[in-house]
Amino acid sequence: MSRSRQPPLVTGISPNEGIPWTKVTIRGENLGTGPTDLIGLTICGHNCLLTAEWMSASKIVCRVGQAKNDKGDIIVTTKSGGKGTSTVSFKLLKPEKIGILDQSAVWVDEMNYYDMRTDRNKGIPPLSLRPANPLGIEIEKSKLPQKDLELLFHGMSADFTSENFSAAWYLIENHSTTSFEQLKMAVTNLKRQANKKSEGSLAYVKGGLSTFFEAQDALSAIHQKLEADGTEKVEGSMTQKLENVLNRASNTADTLFQEVLGRKDKADSTRNALNVLQRFKFLFNLPLNIKRNIQKGDYDVVINDYEKAKSLFGKTEVQVFKKYYAEVEAGIEDLRELLLKKLLETPSTLHDQKRYIRYLSDLHAPGDPAWQCIGAQHKWTLKLMQDCKEGHMKSLKGNPGPHSPMLDLDNDVRPSVLGHLSQTASLKRGSSFQSGRDDTWRYKTPHRVAFVEKLTKLVLSQLPNFWKLWISYVNGSLFSETAEKSGQIERSKNVRQRQNDFKKMIQEVMHSLVKLIRGALLPLSLREGDGRQYGGWEVQAELSGQWLAHVIQTIRLTYESLTALEIPNDMLQIIQDLILDLRIRCIMVTLQHTAEEIKRLAEKEDWIVDNEGLTSLPCQFEQSIVHSLQSLKGVVDCKPGEASVFQQPKTQEEVCQLSINIMQVFIYCLEQLSTKPDADIDTTHLSVDVSSPDLFGSIHEDFSLTSVSMASLKELDQRLFENYIELKADPIVGSLEPGIYAGYFDWKDCLPPAGVRNYLKEALVNMIAVHAEVFTISKELVPRVLARVVEAVSEELSRLMQCVSSFSRNGALQARLEICALRDTVAIYLTPESRSSFKQALEALPQLASGADKKLLEELLNKFKSSMHLQLTCFQAASPTVMKT
């Protein structure tokens, strides 16, 4: 009959050398279709079929037996392929010498065996029981005195069979000069000896089976030959004679040893009965032992006893055994229920959950306890989150204080975004200014902020174990090795089916977390159906920007912690959306709060001028803006994975509008200060609003003020400037006409001029007072103010001169003297308008008639300038500047 498969071909063996009974793995091609197809296996000429274990068509595991040849091929024979060939060979090594204490499948010479029972009272075991050199390297005795070693290692011993064995003492005494490389070889020898003993007695028993079967084969062959020889029934044959001799020997032995053999049989029967009774005793006592061990919590012992009883009595047909085994099964069922109850109890640690799942797996509990645990943990987490909200709301109703419960932020293990706010550098102009903000907010946590912190801590305490439990469920580490092998295929199907279910669980936790935070901080962002479940907070006051920034930092840290668990980003995107909304809300609230704070700056103005001519108002305004920007820096900055808060046009428009509002509020504050009653204003100081020649002269081109704010500021500046000029110029202008005509003065009939009259001197003194007042605040502002005052005075003087119908010779000279004196004095503050006014005033006067009049005019001007040199110095010190109106 033709074969349907190719002959077996051995292409590899591992290991390729070893002593008899070495376990080897044979690899090749066409090594059979199954265990029954394998009919022959020889290694070095020895038949190894008895120990062969067929694994697959390319793999067979067996043990090498005794063989005559030191090296030979590996031949596999199958029913389907016949006798095969080999491309590799196996080298058979000589077995090592076996000591009397080593386990072995062969006979050990016990001629020199030492019985420990005859020497129990000796402190040191017999030397024959100790290995001469346990490390397997050359021993080099140390020259150190024994007494010194005993003092150094007090209470210890260099004998490795002693309970107080000291490895350091042993090495100093026997290997003090041994090199490190040799000590590494010694470690390798010890590991090799440990691995050799780890196989246990079962390996040696299995290995000795071939020896027994060889002897059995030999005896069977002798028996067959003897039987074949005895069939001839020839009297006097070798078989007949041997049979007679054996019968007589048997009868004689029976006669001599009948009594001894009887006692031996009785003892064997008794021993067998006791062994059986001991075996039954385990079963009879097992139900009670199971209950006791369950009460003590020794579940491992219960499982081991159950597995043992199941293997012994699981398929028994004896009624008594069935009865007691049924009680054992009932106890195990109670244990399954108890373990499942403990598994589903909450709260519970991840270690306990894994332990209970492994127990239930070993007990072959029905269903899927691990998945039940995951579901229970999910429900427990959602319940904790909802209870956290309910607890804080009850606390809020019972204690309506806006800042309870107390929370020490300094002791919080997480870094706080509020930390850097207290380290804001003081501004140069505002170094003496004390901020009106109350720093006690750092130590008084609002209910909603405390709720968010507790909620995030709760999620971070539950979700990592929940996630790790799922990962362990997926990779099978929750189950024992036996249960993992038996249920691997079925569990892999369950994992694929339940991946979507677990993803929904995580998403539900994330949605619940986000909705609870939105309900507390952003209630308007919730849908109508979610308001009752996740909202319901009695909001008495809006959270400040600082607390919102603190909440943002808390949620950011929560997001980072969840990302570290390797949770997919699509499940955490909802948290990023929440962070973006909170960042936008924080910016809006901070800008609104800044506008309110700036609006109240007018109440804090103390009108105390510093060395630079400024009051505290600009410093307060600058500090408010800087403080707001610093508090928003961490909010505006984008963390990894976050979107920009200004990516939406609507947000840009709202922020821009709030920024404009801040400037308009400050303008309103300035206007409020400028419109106070005179009784409330110290007229010796200028308002900060006019402390600069041009409020916009120092504004950079890239300063982001809109045209609306710029126009409002310019309008306010011009209005305040005009009011101030009117306040200072009108009294001077109004004093000119009464002063000119004081004492019934008449231009037509007057005495020759003797000098500048007092009214003009008084006007100059008033202008000097204005100069001093403005110079005290800002010397840069002096040209702008005095230029307008000079314009007003020159315009009034020109009007008065043009109203005179006629001048006498002396009157014309007196008028020209006073006009020229005023013009020359304020020459550096003349503008085209004031020059035109002085020109019109002089043109209204008659021309000088003679050179004597001109000389007199010059003498009188020099006399005036000389006599008032000190007073007029202020009009000469300033360098010419471009006048601004």
Side-chain angles (χ1 to χ4, degrees):
M1 183 176 64
S2 61
R3 299 187 182 94
S4 59
R5 296 177 61 88
Q6 295 294 327
L9 175 62
V10 177
T11 58
I13 183 169
S14 177
N16 59 4
E17 62 179 11
I19 62 174
W21 319 125
T22 299
K23 188 175 183 179
V24 297
T25 301
I26 301 171
R27 298 187 181 275
E29 302 174 357
N30 304 318
L31 300 183
T33 59
T36 58
D37 191 40
L38 182 65
I39 59 175
L41 174 61
T42 59
I43 299 178
C44 297
H46 183 270
N47 186 7
C48 302
L49 182 60
L50 184 62
T51 61
E53 182 180 358
W54 186 88
M55 307 300 291
S56 67
S58 59
K59 180 179 177 181
I60 297 176
V61 177
C62 71
R63 288 187 180 273
V64 180
Q66 295 283 0
K68 297 180 181 180
N69 302 327
D70 293 339
K71 189 173 183 180
D73 294 335
I74 301 94
I75 304 300
V76 177
T77 305
T78 62
K79 293 180 181 179
S80 58
K83 187 175 182 180
T85 57
S86 173
T87 61
V88 295
S89 61
F90 182 83
K91 183 178 180 181
L92 191 65
L93 304 177
K94 293 183 179 180
E96 298 178 359
K97 186 177 180 180
I98 300 174
I100 61 174
L101 295 181
D102 296 333
Q103 294 177 332
S104 174
V106 300
W107 178 260
V108 179
D109 185 10
E110 296 183 353
M111 181 179 294
N112 298 324
Y113 176 70
Y114 190 92
D115 191 358
M116 276 289 292
R117 292 176 295 178
T118 63
D119 197 11
R120 290 182 179 178
N121 297 326
K122 289 189 178 182
I124 301 177
L127 294 177
S128 59
L129 298 181
R130 309 183 205 166
N133 186 7
L135 297 184
I137 58 177
E138 184 179 355
I139 295 178
E140 299 177 3
K141 289 292 184 179
S142 174
K143 298 180 180 180
L144 293 175
Q146 190 71 17
K147 292 183 179 180
D148 293 346
L149 292 174
E150 291 178 355
L151 292 175
L152 183 61
F153 299 98
H154 179 69
M156 308 300 289
S157 173
D159 182 7
F160 51 81
T161 62
S162 173
E163 293 181 356
N164 300 324
F165 170 67
S166 173
W169 188 349
Y170 178 81
L171 290 176
I172 293 174
E173 186 176 36
N174 297 284
H175 301 282
S176 59
T177 61
T178 303
S179 65
F180 182 70
E181 294 298 327
Q182 288 180 319
L183 290 177
K184 289 171 66 176
M185 292 175 58
V187 172
T188 305
N189 294 336
L190 287 176
K191 290 182 178 179
R192 187 183 299 115
Q193 294 176 17
N195 293 334
K196 187 185 300 181
K197 293 181 179 179
S198 64
E199 294 185 0
S201 302
L202 184 60
Y204 290 97
V205 173
K206 289 182 177 180
L209 288 176
S210 61
T211 303
F212 168 77
F213 288 124
E214 286 179 359
Q216 178 68 20
D217 292 342
L219 290 175
S220 177
I222 294 174
H223 178 69
Q224 290 177 1
K225 289 183 178 180
L226 290 176
E227 259 191 354
D229 184 63
T231 54
E232 298 176 0
K233 300 297 182 180
V234 177
E235 188 66 27
S237 64
M238 181 187 67
T239 305
Q240 187 66 35
K241 291 179 181 179
L242 181 59
E243 183 180 1
N244 294 334
V245 172
L246 290 176
N247 288 333
R248 288 196 303 270
S250 177
N251 294 331
T252 305
D254 289 342
T255 303
L256 292 175
F257 300 101
Q258 186 67 39
E259 184 179 356
V260 176
L261 293 176
R263 289 198 302 269
K264 178 181 178 298
D265 292 340
K266 184 177 181 181
D268 291 341
S269 301
T270 303
R271 188 180 299 107
N272 292 335
L274 290 175
N275 290 336
V276 173
L277 288 176
Q278 181 65 27
R279 187 176 179 183
F280 295 163
K281 181 181 179 181
F282 165 74
L283 178 62
F284 295 156
N285 294 334
L286 187 56
L288 181 59
N289 291 336
I290 287 177
K291 292 181 180 179
R292 290 176 178 175
N293 290 327
I294 290 176
Q295 293 175 354
K296 292 188 294 183
D298 295 337
Y299 304 126
D300 291 310
V301 177
V302 175
I303 294 173
N304 291 335
D305 290 344
Y306 172 66
E307 291 294 337
K308 181 179 178 181
K310 186 177 181 181
S311 63
L312 294 175
F313 306 102
K315 298 181 180 180
T316 183
E317 297 297 332
V318 181
Q319 294 299 323
V320 176
F321 294 166
K322 283 186 176 182
K323 178 181 178 181
Y324 280 90
Y325 185 73
E327 293 183 11
V328 171
E329 286 288 355
I332 293 300
E333 185 61 31
D334 294 339
L335 176 60
R336 292 192 187 104
E337 295 178 359
L338 175 64
L339 291 175
L340 184 60
K341 181 180 178 181
K342 287 181 174 292
L343 175 63
L344 301 182
E345 283 181 355
T346 50
S348 179
T349 63
L350 181 63
H351 173 73
D352 289 340
Q353 290 172 344
K354 288 184 175 180
R355 191 161 55 95
Y356 294 142
I357 292 173
R358 190 169 290 111
Y359 289 152
L360 290 169
S361 176
D362 291 338
L363 293 174
H364 306 287
D368 193 347
W371 181 251
Q372 290 178 285
C373 178
I374 292 175
Q377 191 70 20
H378 169 247
K379 294 179 180 178
W380 168 250
T381 302
L382 294 178
K383 183 178 182 299
L384 285 179
M385 295 168 67
Q386 198 65 31
D387 290 346
C388 178
K389 177 215 168 188
E390 298 297 335
H392 274 270
M393 293 189 70
K394 290 181 181 179
S395 176
L396 180 61
K397 293 179 180 179
N399 184 10
H403 298 297
S404 61
M406 304 296 288
L407 178 67
D408 188 359
L409 296 180
D410 293 337
N411 293 332
D412 196 349
V413 296
R414 297 175 297 179
S416 175
V417 74
L418 307 177
H420 70 87
L421 294 180
S422 62
Q423 302 175 359
T424 303
S426 60
L427 299 174
K428 177 181 177 182
R429 294 180 176 179
S431 58
S432 62
F433 168 66
Q434 300 295 329
S435 175
R437 299 193 180 199
D438 185 7
D439 289 339
T440 57
W441 68 271
R442 300 178 187 276
Y443 311 103
K444 298 178 181 179
T445 305
H447 269 283
R448 290 179 290 163
V449 177
F451 162 70
V452 173
E453 290 189 338
K454 185 174 181 180
L455 181 65
T456 54
K457 288 180 180 179
L458 186 151
V459 172
L460 290 181
S461 66
Q462 297 294 325
L463 202 58
N465 289 340
F466 183 59
W467 180 261
K468 292 176 183 177
L469 186 64
W470 165 253
I471 297 300
S472 300
Y473 178 79
V474 172
N475 59 31
S477 61
L478 283 176
F479 310 95
S480 65
E481 184 177 355
T482 304
E484 184 177 0
K485 291 180 179 178
S486 62
Q488 187 174 6
I489 298 177
E490 181 179 357
R491 189 168 56 257
S492 62
K493 295 180 180 178
N494 293 339
V495 168
R496 288 193 295 269
Q497 294 173 356
R498 288 169 175 167
Q499 277 182 345
N500 292 333
D501 295 338
F502 182 78
K503 183 177 180 180
K504 291 179 181 178
M505 290 182 181
I506 292 292
Q507 289 176 342
E508 187 175 0
V509 173
M510 294 297 102
H511 279 80
S512 181
L513 171 64
V514 170
K515 288 180 180 179
L516 286 172
I517 296 177
R518 286 185 179 275
L521 304 178
L522 303 171
L524 298 179
S525 63
L526 290 176
R527 293 183 299 181
E528 296 182 1
D530 296 334
R532 178 174 300 178
Q533 181 179 359
Y534 300 102
W537 292 84
E538 296 180 0
V539 179
Q540 298 180 352
E542 179 69 38
L543 287 179
S544 64
Q546 291 93 335
W547 280 120
L548 286 175
H550 175 70
V551 169
I552 291 171
Q553 179 66 5
T554 300
I555 300 176
R556 279 174 168 173
L557 293 174
T558 303
Y559 177 82
E560 293 176 3
S561 300
L562 295 177
T563 305
L565 295 176
E566 298 181 356
I567 298 178
N569 292 331
D570 58 339
M571 297 185 184
L572 302 179
Q573 183 59 40
I574 188 174
I575 299 182
Q576 286 285 21
D577 296 339
L578 171 64
I579 293 175
L580 178 61
D581 291 346
L582 286 175
R583 290 166 63 200
I584 294 174
R585 182 59 183 167
C586 180
I587 293 174
M588 301 303 177
V589 170
T590 301
L591 293 179
Q592 291 172 0
H593 182 266
T594 302
E596 293 294 330
E597 190 177 62
I598 292 174
K599 187 176 181 180
R600 295 191 294 269
L601 290 181
E603 303 172 1
K604 301 177 183 179
E605 177 59 81
D606 52 12
W607 299 107
I608 298 176
V609 182
D610 60 12
N611 295 333
E612 298 183 6
L614 299 178
T615 64
S616 62
L617 186 65
C619 296
Q620 295 179 39
F621 174 73
E622 186 176 3
Q623 285 187 343
S624 296
I625 297 299
V626 171
H627 188 280
S628 298
L629 295 178
Q630 288 178 339
S631 65
L632 291 177
K633 184 179 184 303
V635 177
V636 175
D637 291 343
C638 295
K639 298 295 181 181
E642 293 183 355
S644 173
V645 292
F646 301 113
Q647 66 179 358
Q648 298 179 359
K650 181 180 178 181
T651 304
Q652 296 179 15
E653 294 177 3
E654 292 179 354
V655 171
C656 182
Q657 185 60 41
L658 288 173
S659 301
I660 295 173
N661 187 41
I662 289 176
M663 294 303 303
Q664 290 178 339
V665 167
F666 182 62
I667 294 171
Y668 169 78
C669 177
L670 297 177
E671 188 173 5
Q672 185 182 17
L673 287 173
S674 65
T675 56
K676 283 185 177 180
D678 292 343
D680 296 338
I681 299 178
D682 187 358
T683 57
T684 61
H685 300 286
L686 286 176
S687 171
V688 68
D689 308 311
V690 292
S691 63
S692 171
D694 188 349
L695 287 179
F696 313 99
S698 61
I699 294 179
H700 300 289
E701 294 181 359
D702 57 349
F703 190 80
S704 57
L705 278 178
T706 63
S707 58
V708 177
S709 300
M710 292 290 292
S712 300
L713 280 174
K714 288 183 177 181
E715 179 184 355
L716 176 62
D717 172 72
Q718 188 63 30
R719 185 168 65 252
L720 294 179
F721 181 76
E722 294 294 339
N723 291 340
Y724 181 76
I725 294 300
E726 182 180 355
L727 178 66
K728 296 301 178 181
D730 284 357
I732 299 175
V733 172
S735 65
L736 289 178
E737 187 173 1
I740 290 175
Y741 296 105
Y744 300 101
F745 179 81
D746 188 0
W747 297 107
K748 299 177 183 179
D749 184 14
C750 60
L751 298 175
V756 176
R757 289 186 291 170
N758 291 334
Y759 82 91
L760 187 60
K761 295 180 180 179
E762 181 181 356
L764 288 173
V765 169
N766 290 334
M767 293 172 66
I768 292 172
V770 173
H771 181 285
E773 185 177 55
V774 176
F775 188 87
T776 303
I777 301 300
S778 175
K779 62 181 180 180
E780 289 83 3
L781 186 61
V782 171
R784 183 184 181 194
V785 173
L786 284 185
R788 289 294 303 276
V789 173
V790 170
E791 286 181 2
V793 173
S794 62
E795 182 180 356
E796 178 63 16
L797 192 60
S798 174
R799 185 188 66 82
L800 292 175
M801 293 298 106
Q802 292 177 6
C803 291
V804 178
S805 58
S806 63
F807 292 89
S808 64
R809 177 172 173 271
N810 291 335
L813 187 58
Q814 182 72 41
R816 189 175 294 277
L817 171 64
E818 292 171 353
I819 293 172
C820 291
L822 178 61
R823 183 192 63 185
D824 294 346
T825 300
V826 298
I828 62 174
Y829 300 116
L830 292 179
T831 63
E833 289 78 6
S834 58
R835 293 179 190 276
S836 176
S837 298
F838 278 118
K839 182 179 180 181
Q840 292 176 4
L842 291 174
E843 290 176 351
L845 302 177
Q847 297 296 325
L848 294 178
S850 63
D853 292 340
K854 293 182 180 179
K855 183 177 180 181
L856 178 61
L857 176 64
E858 184 176 354
E859 291 177 354
L860 292 176
L861 282 175
N862 291 334
K863 179 182 178 182
F864 167 74
K865 295 177 181 179
S866 177
S867 62
M868 294 192 66
H869 174 73
L870 181 63
Q871 289 84 352
L872 302 181
T873 303
C874 64
F875 295 113
Q876 302 173 2
S879 59
T881 57
V882 179
M883 303 303 169
K884 294 184 179 181
T885 58

